[in-house]
Amino acid sequence: MATIKKTTTKKKLVSDDQIVSMYMDQVLQNNAEPKNVYLFCQENKILETEFYALYGSIEALKQDIWVKFFENVKNTVESDENYLTYSNKNKLLTLYFSLIEILTLNRSYVVFALKEEKNMLKNLQQLKSFRNHFKSFIVDMTDTQTSEEDFKVNKVLKPLYVEGAWVEFLFILKFWLEDTSKGFEKTDVMIEKAVKATFDVLDTTPLDSLLDLGKFVWKEKFN
């Protein structure tokens, strides 16, 4: 008599997107991070081996969340067929606005992640990989020149411009975190003024834009 062989269905492994979703939901529901990988996996009914197949630690997972934010923005921006014709100024505006848009969609998590610790520098550790992707994007952006203004950036100020764009983004991010205006409209104004001031530095009359930016920040934060 023939023996009937039983077939076993291999369990489909959890994806990185699923783990990210589990993590974000868990920290917001509990208002706290999981203390370790074991507890995270227990809470979400997955095997530790499934987690470690994708991430070496909770910290690595936290960094990847920010990378996914950036990759989402990058894909959206570059899918615009007109994007390559933009000046670097308009590309930077598009990048900042798009980043704030994706962060706004995930604002509850972002606020939790960046304000969980009193030590802001410790919080910024999770932006390490995000920062690398951001700076690579800016480098690629400045390699294309569509105007005399772009040429000046690429030839003279490129290293400072790349690092300066990152510092500028952190400044905008902090402003957005504290912005209580409807639809975060004041952050939109901040982005426009910050980018205008940055590019006016390449021209002969940067002072007016810098003063305008300074007055806006002073009014919003100290009045």
Side-chain angles (χ1 to χ4, degrees), residues 23-24 27-28 65 69 106-113 126:
Y23 178 82
M24 293 174 68
V27 297
L28 290 176
I65 291 172
F69 287 159
N106 297 277
R107 184 173 171 90
S108 294
Y109 174 77
V110 174
V111 170
F112 170 86
Q126 63 191 289

Side-chain angles (χ1 to χ4, degrees), residues 51-100:
F51 181 94
Y52 285 123
L54 296 167
Y55 300 108
S57 65
I58 293 291
E59 291 304 315
L61 167 58
K62 289 165 63 177
Q63 287 196 38
D64 193 50
I65 291 172
W66 284 89
V67 170
K68 287 183 182 299
F69 287 159
F70 190 84
E71 288 177 341
N72 186 307
V73 167
K74 184 174 184 289
N75 292 336
T76 300
V77 166
E78 294 182 345
S79 66
D80 181 353
E81 59 184 17
N82 296 316
Y83 173 75
L84 291 178
T85 67
Y86 293 172
S87 67
N88 284 343
K89 180 178 180 179
N90 286 333
K91 286 179 180 177
L92 191 61
L93 279 169
T94 301
L95 176 64
Y96 287 162
F97 281 128
S98 299
L99 281 169
I100 291 301

Side-chain angles (χ1 to χ4, degrees), residues 14-168:
V14 65
S15 70
D16 56 343
D17 286 339
Q18 288 174 312
I19 287 183
V20 163
S21 180
M22 291 173 185
Y23 178 82
M24 293 174 68
D25 287 343
Q26 183 174 336
V27 297
L28 290 176
Q29 289 172 6
N30 298 332
N31 197 33
E33 284 188 12
K35 294 185 182 300
N36 53 51
V37 172
Y38 173 80
L39 291 175
F40 171 76
C41 293
Q42 287 289 305
E43 177 79 16
N44 292 283
K45 297 180 173 56
I46 62 173
L47 300 174
E48 285 186 80
T49 52
E50 293 180 288
F51 181 94
Y52 285 123
L54 296 167
Y55 300 108
S57 65
I58 293 291
E59 291 304 315
L61 167 58
K62 289 165 63 177
Q63 287 196 38
D64 193 50
I65 291 172
W66 284 89
V67 170
K68 287 183 182 299
F69 287 159
F70 190 84
E71 288 177 341
N72 186 307
V73 167
K74 184 174 184 289
N75 292 336
T76 300
V77 166
E78 294 182 345
S79 66
D80 181 353
E81 59 184 17
N82 296 316
Y83 173 75
L84 291 178
T85 67
Y86 293 172
S87 67
N88 284 343
K89 180 178 180 179
N90 286 333
K91 286 179 180 177
L92 191 61
L93 279 169
T94 301
L95 176 64
Y96 287 162
F97 281 128
S98 299
L99 281 169
I100 291 301
E101 181 178 358
I102 190 67
L103 294 181
T104 298
L105 291 174
N106 297 277
R107 184 173 171 90
S108 294
Y109 174 77
V110 174
V111 170
F112 170 86
L114 295 183
K115 290 193 174 181
E116 179 197 8
E117 297 283 350
K118 292 181 180 179
N119 186 343
M120 186 64 176
L121 291 177
K122 183 177 180 180
N123 286 339
L124 292 181
Q125 287 296 314
Q126 63 191 289
L127 273 63
K128 183 178 179 181
S129 296
F130 175 93
R131 176 177 181 271
N132 292 336
H133 281 74
F134 179 96
K135 292 179 70 174
S136 293
F137 183 90
I138 299 297
V139 168
D140 292 342
M141 187 184 81
T142 56
D143 282 340
T144 60
Q145 303 168 25
T146 59
S147 67
E148 180 65 22
E149 188 177 62
D150 293 348
F151 178 77
K152 291 178 182 179
V153 170
N154 199 42
K155 183 178 180 180
V156 183
L157 299 173
K158 184 174 181 178
L160 291 175
Y161 178 79
V162 172
E163 194 61 46
W166 172 246
V167 173
E168 185 172 64

